[in-house]
């Protein structure tokens, strides 16, 4: 019984998505008819999608840019964060606590409050309006470092000690022992970083100017501005922006949910 | 005899100093490795966060704007701050943000109830988790565009439904100054329920079942058990979600920029949106930096207050 009530609630919860998907298949004149045609009477899916994907504002280009930026950001961020996380958890070095505290403190800063100096810095360093600049902005994640550190901490010290006594340096220990042990955590963080970077609108909005560099979020906002009255095309764009996220989420669903609840409950 | 002892001692000294050297060498090696491992992270954070914070503080005391170029700035002391607190749009944006904070407790309440239901008497738990999580992972820009159409005052499906139900003059949602902010809040609650729900589900797992069994034997109703067992025992989770939620409601940016751009008549302008407009549309760098600094202090204040307030109601 409760299952049925929850299913109905869940359906209501998903209605905006269902409406969006259905509108993306319709002729423009049918989008706002009432009562809503959940299943279109006349289909216009092929035209809508080909217009959005291969039209004057090509989603193909936005997709390519987004994939490039997101994958490179995720890769860099995972490397940078896992290196730092390992050191903060397992290497005894002078000033470790102090450096960790400083890094952690920066997590509290709202990113918007430092946009202006970042903008000026990028202008002077020649990183403005480039994909490299965009990738760097999301690559130094305090959240990632903190989360991975929790997992490195749970590795038994004796394993690392005995490897060190056998003459292995920290790089060997990191790559051959520690990293394989925290693989699930790395996967979780990578998926989260992928989703967050894919969805990022603010940084591309401020740090990109050339339309040829636009990521999907920027592209779809611009597309919506240009086609603000053609709702079927706007919905087609919205569907196109959400689908890669859904695929990544469905593949990594268990990882994401576990990662979030673990990170959330343990702080 | 004496000689032998002496030799032994000498030998021992030699041995221990070698050991010491080895330990010292290891320690030195550890320190070097540590620095190499954290270097990329530390350099990134220093250049892209710490340095901008200092620059932001510095700029907030100047009248600099993008147009005057690198040299044309003057120190104007606290003038930016004085102007800011006389700026009616900024004050409006602060009030708006305080109203938006309500999203957190409302969202938490709904999420907790849903979590309790899903945790206890529902089949296909994983399926429901995925459904409620969908808005959280979806592209904010896409969601904003969808709701722009759904909330359309005359043609939008929501108002067509309301009108067909006999409501003659439904609210104009994002086109209406008094309904725009609540509309934004509804969308925010919708997007965040999934995240809060998942964390609550994890928190509920940690409550020992015996507590409920014992209460049931004493004839407690489920509402009583909810109030006396569930709510107090998930309070650490609630605390965590409340702190992170309140802080993140000061960062709501993408949704508003795409959905309403702060309008109509600044009814949905939040400090971060105003900051963006001042910095990148009006090009008033100094003034925008002042907003940034005030925002930063505000968030710090909330975090500290929360921290001290938690003892009153969180059970660890």
């Amino acid at each position: 019984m409760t299952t049925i009530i929850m299913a109905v609630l869940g359906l209501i919860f998903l209605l905006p998505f269902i409406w969006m998907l259905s509108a993306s298949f319709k002729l423009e004149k049918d989008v706002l008819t009432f009562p809503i045609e959940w299943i279109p009477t006349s289909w216009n899916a092929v035209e809508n999608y080909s217009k959005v994907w291969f039209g004057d504002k090509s989603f193909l280009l936005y997709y390519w840019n987004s994939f490039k930026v997101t994958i490179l950001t995720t890769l860099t961020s995972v490397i940078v964060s896992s290196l730092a996380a390992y050191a903060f958890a397992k290497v005894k070095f002078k000033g470790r606590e102090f450096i960790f505290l400083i890094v952690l403190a920066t997590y509290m800063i709202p990113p918007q409050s430092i946009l202006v100096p970042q903008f000026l810095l990028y202008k002077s360093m020649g990183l403005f309006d480039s994909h490299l600049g965009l990738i760097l902005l999301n690559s130094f994640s305090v959240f990632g470092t903190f989360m991975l550190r929790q997992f490195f901490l749970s590795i038994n010290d004796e394993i690392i000690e005995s490897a060190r006594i056998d003459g292995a340096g920290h790089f060997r220990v990191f790559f051959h022992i520690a990293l394989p042990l925290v693989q699930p955590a790395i996967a979780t963080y990578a998926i989260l970083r992928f989703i967050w970077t894919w969805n990022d609108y603010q940084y591309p909005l401020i740090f990109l100017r050339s339309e040829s560099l636009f990521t999907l979020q920027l592209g779809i906002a611009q597309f919506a501005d240009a086609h603000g009255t053609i709702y079927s095309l706007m919905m087609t764009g919205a569907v196109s922006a959400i689908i890669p996220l859904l695929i990544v989420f469905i593949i990594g669903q268990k990882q994401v949910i576990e990662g979030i609840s673990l990170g959330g409950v343990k702080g | 005899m004496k000689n032998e002892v002496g030799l032994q001692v000498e030998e021992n000294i030699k041995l221990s100093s070698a050991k010491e050297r080895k330990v010292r060498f290891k320690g030195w090696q550890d320190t070097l490795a540590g620095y190499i491992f954290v270097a990329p992270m530390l350099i990134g954070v220093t250049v892209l966060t710490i340095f901008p914070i200092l620059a932001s503080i510095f700029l907030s005391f100047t009248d600099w704007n993008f147009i005057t170029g690198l040299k044309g700035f003057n120190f104007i002391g606290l003038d930016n701050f004085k102007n800011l607190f006389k700026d009616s749009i900024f004050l409006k944006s602060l009030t708006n943000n305080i109203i938006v904070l309500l999203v957190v407790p409302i969202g938490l309440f709904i999420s907790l109830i849903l979590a309790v239901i899903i945790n206890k008497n529902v089949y296909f738990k994983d399926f429901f988790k995925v459904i409620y999580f969908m808005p959280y992972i979806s592209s904010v820009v896409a969601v904003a565009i969808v709701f722009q159409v759904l909330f359309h005052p005359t043609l939008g499906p929501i108002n067509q439904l309301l009108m067909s139900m006999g409501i003659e003059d439904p609210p104009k949602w994002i086109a209406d100054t008094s309904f725009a902010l609540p509309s934004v809040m509804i969308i925010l609650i919708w997007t965040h329920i999934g995240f809060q729900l998942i964390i609550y589900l994890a928190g509920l797992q940690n409550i020992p079942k015996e507590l409920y069994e014992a209460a049931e034997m004493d004839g407690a109703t489920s509402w009583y058990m909810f109030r006396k067992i569930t709510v107090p025992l998930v309070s650490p989770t609630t605390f965590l979600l409340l702190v992170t939620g309140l802080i993140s409601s000061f960062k709501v940016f993408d949704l508003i920029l795409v959905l309403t751009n702060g309008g109509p008549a600044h009814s949905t302008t939040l400090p971060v949106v105003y900051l963006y407009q001042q910095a990148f549309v009006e090009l008033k760098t100094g003034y925008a930096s002042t907003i940034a600094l005030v925002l930063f202090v505000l968030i710090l204040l909330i975090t500290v207050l929360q921290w001290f307030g938690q003892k009153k109601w969180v059970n660890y």
Side-chain angles (χ1 to χ4, degrees), chain B residues 4-272:
Chain B
E4 236 170 72
V5 173
L7 269 177
Q8 190 70 36
V9 170
E10 229 166 77
E11 194 76 355
N12 276 348
I13 290 171
K14 255 189 207 163
L15 261 176
S16 70
S17 74
K19 216 177 185 178
E20 203 172 86
R21 228 180 301 148
K22 206 168 180 189
V23 169
R24 211 182 293 153
F25 171 68
K26 279 258 173 176
W28 173 81
Q29 220 188 15
D30 272 355
T31 297
L32 183 69
Y35 286 131
I36 294 174
F37 274 75
V38 296
M41 183 72 199
L42 197 60
I43 293 170
V45 166
T46 309
V47 174
L48 287 175
T49 310
I50 297 176
F51 172 70
I53 295 171
L54 301 175
S56 202
I57 295 173
F58 170 78
L59 283 173
S60 66
F61 296 100
T62 71
D63 66 352
W64 194 57
N65 63 40
F66 280 118
I67 307 155
T68 50
L70 267 179
K71 280 180 186 156
F73 65 79
N74 305 305
F75 275 98
I76 51 167
L78 293 172
D79 281 6
N80 279 337
F81 292 88
K82 281 180 202 151
N83 291 336
L84 191 63
F85 284 99
K86 277 186 266 169
D87 183 339
S88 62
I89 303 174
F90 177 70
L91 295 177
K92 172 87 182 151
S93 77
L94 270 185
T95 324
N96 287 341
N97 214 141
I98 291 166
I99 298 169
V100 168
L101 293 182
L102 280 176
V103 160
V104 186
I106 298 172
L108 285 182
F109 181 72
I110 301 173
S111 313
L112 180 58
I113 294 206
L114 286 176
V116 170
I117 296 172
I118 291 182
N119 191 42
K120 245 169 102 190
N121 1 319
V122 155
Y123 302 98
F124 319 116
K125 274 184 199 177
D126 287 337
F127 178 66
F128 283 113
K129 281 190 207 171
V130 173
I131 284 189
Y132 286 103
F133 207 58
M134 250 186 74
Y136 178 73
I137 58 143
S138 295
S139 147
V140 180
V141 178
V143 162
I145 288 171
V146 173
F147 274 96
Q148 245 175 9
V149 185
L150 291 178
F151 276 141
H152 192 287
T154 49
L155 305 169
I158 293 179
N159 270 2
Q160 294 210 40
L161 179 74
L162 290 177
M163 283 189 274
S164 76
M165 283 176 4
I167 298 167
E168 298 215 337
D169 194 19
K172 292 193 174 58
W173 305 110
I174 54 170
D176 184 325
T177 47
S178 48
F179 276 97
L181 199 59
S183 309
V184 168
M185 289 163 71
I186 292 171
I187 303 176
L188 283 176
I189 293 174
W190 177 73
T191 44
H192 282 99
I193 278 181
F195 178 78
Q196 295 161 344
L197 178 84
I198 301 270
I199 293 183
Y200 266 136
L201 277 171
L204 289 176
Q205 303 290 317
N206 295 333
I207 302 179
K209 285 207 171 56
E210 294 79 38
L211 286 176
Y212 292 106
E213 283 161 11
E216 214 156 49
M217 293 241 269
D218 294 341
T221 61
S222 30
W223 172 239
Y224 186 84
M225 287 192 276
F226 177 73
R227 275 189 313 146
K228 296 289 175 184
I229 302 175
T230 311
V231 172
L233 285 179
V234 293
S235 60
T237 310
T238 308
F239 171 69
L240 180 97
L241 287 173
L242 194 70
V243 177
T244 51
L246 291 181
I247 293 174
S248 67
S249 60
F250 278 91
K251 302 179 190 170
V252 179
F253 178 79
D254 312 11
L255 178 69
I256 289 182
L257 212 62
V258 180
L259 190 72
T260 61
N261 198 16
H266 302 294
S267 58
T268 56
T269 299
L270 297 186
V272 284

Side-chain angles (χ1 to χ4, degrees), chain A residues 2-3 13 17 32 34 83 91-92 94 108-109 112-113 116-118 120 164 170 199 202 217 249 261 264, chain B residues 26 30 35 37 48 52 56 66 121 123 133 137-139 160 190 202 240 251 253 275 285 292 296 300:
Chain A
T2 22
T3 307
F13 208 72
F17 290 118
L32 293 172
F34 194 83
L83 279 172
V91 184
K92 292 184 186 69
K94 270 188 198 137
M108 269 186 34
I109 315 289
Q112 290 92 350
S113 70
V116 172
Q118 277 176 337
L120 299 173
R164 300 273 291 134
H170 272 296
N199 277 337
Q202 182 169 288
Q217 305 307 324
F249 176 59
S261 38
Chain B
K26 279 258 173 176
D30 272 355
Y35 286 131
F37 274 75
L48 287 175
S56 202
F66 280 118
N121 1 319
Y123 302 98
F133 207 58
I137 58 143
S138 295
S139 147
Q160 294 210 40
W190 177 73
L240 180 97
K251 302 179 190 170
F253 178 79
L275 165 71
T285 315
F296 170 60
L300 192 72

Side-chain angles (χ1 to χ4, degrees), chain A residues 143-158:
Chain A
F143 170 86
T145 306
F146 187 71
M147 174 186 152
L148 293 175
R149 175 178 168 269
Q150 298 293 89
F151 285 90
F152 280 120
L153 280 176
S154 67
I155 296 176
N156 199 332
D157 273 330
E158 277 156 32

